[in-house]
Amino acid sequence: MFTNYILDVSEGLITLVIYDITEDDVRLRVARFLRAKGLTRIQKSAFIGSLTVSARKDVENGVSKLIYGKKANVQIYPLTPASYSQRVVLGVELRYDDQDRLIA
Amino acid sequence: MFTNYILDVSEGLITLVIYDITEDDVRLRVARFLRAKGLTRIQKSAFIGSLTVSARKDVENGVSKLIYGKKANVQIYPLTPASYSQRVVLGVELRYDDQDRLIA
């Protein structure tokens, strides 16, 4: 078990974004957008972060536009601090560069 | 927005499992294991379901064994019914066959 990020759960809405996007360029654009919104990558296709209500709405709207008409599925979950702290992380930390390539 | 599954949130622990697994055969084995445990696939690398405390422990232990020593990261989040019902699902439903191939 490991923690590769520190999340301030004292304010804002803890938000988990998971995605399944078939086209590489669309997936890359969504990853960059989520990072730009202040979310932290926790897996190749998952980001998490603490967002204000309006930032969360921005994320929803921005992602909607980026995946419009594409073979893509994005799911956004609000988490309670308890849900977040009770998560279980198994395996190793996998990190990616800005081209979504695994850093070995 | 769509719902491709019905989740009984009245009992058990709502459990979201997301994974990032580099080897195809390991990923396939984890997907089959999660399905066998009664979870429902919601994305290529995400399953959800309502589990008893002991079933949740079984999932953690089983996944740990399947990914031992592999380049893999699996995260298991307990969700409250409110978190689950407030999730936002964007895009289209993507479905996979038992070989993890996208069903067009």
Side-chain angles (χ1 to χ4, degrees), chain B residues 4-68:
Chain B
N4 61 336
Y5 49 97
I6 309 289
L7 188 56
D8 179 5
V9 299
S10 63
E11 53 182 280
L13 307 170
I14 308 173
T15 305
L16 176 68
V17 182
I18 60 175
Y19 53 87
D20 186 359
I21 299 176
T22 56
E23 288 176 47
D24 290 348
D25 59 331
V26 178
R27 199 170 52 239
L28 204 54
R29 243 174 277 143
V30 167
R32 285 175 181 165
F33 172 74
L34 295 175
R35 188 179 295 115
K37 286 291 167 187
L39 298 174
T40 301
R41 184 170 231 159
I42 52 168
Q43 287 184 350
K44 182 164 189 183
S45 297
F47 280 77
I48 203 165
S50 196
L51 297 176
T52 63
V53 173
S54 73
R56 186 158 189 264
K57 208 69 207 165
D58 286 349
V59 166
E60 289 174 23
N61 293 338
V63 168
S64 284
K65 280 176 196 155
L66 287 170
I67 67 169
Y68 181 78

Side-chain angles (χ1 to χ4, degrees), chain A residues 78-80 82-83, chain B residues 9 14 77-86:
Chain A
L79 299 183
T80 63
S83 287
Chain B
V9 299
I14 308 173
Y77 290 82
L79 298 183
T80 64
S83 287
Y84 177 68
S85 64
Q86 288 163 19

Side-chain angles (χ1 to χ4, degrees), chain A residues 2 16 18-20 42-44 60 64 72-79 83 87-92 94 96, chain B residues 2 16 18-20 42-44 64 72-79 83 87-92 94 96:
Chain A
F2 67 89
L16 175 67
I18 61 176
Y19 53 87
D20 185 0
I42 53 168
Q43 287 184 350
K44 182 163 189 184
E60 290 175 23
S64 284
N73 179 276
V74 180
Q75 303 198 12
I76 303 172
Y77 290 82
L79 299 183
S83 287
R87 77 196 184 287
V88 171
V89 181
L90 304 170
V92 298
L94 300 177
Y96 295 87
Chain B
F2 67 88
L16 176 68
I18 60 175
Y19 53 87
D20 186 359
I42 52 168
Q43 287 184 350
K44 182 164 189 183
S64 284
N73 180 277
V74 180
Q75 303 198 13
I76 303 172
Y77 290 82
L79 298 183
S83 287
R87 77 195 184 287
V88 171
V89 181
L90 304 170
V92 297
L94 299 177
Y96 294 86

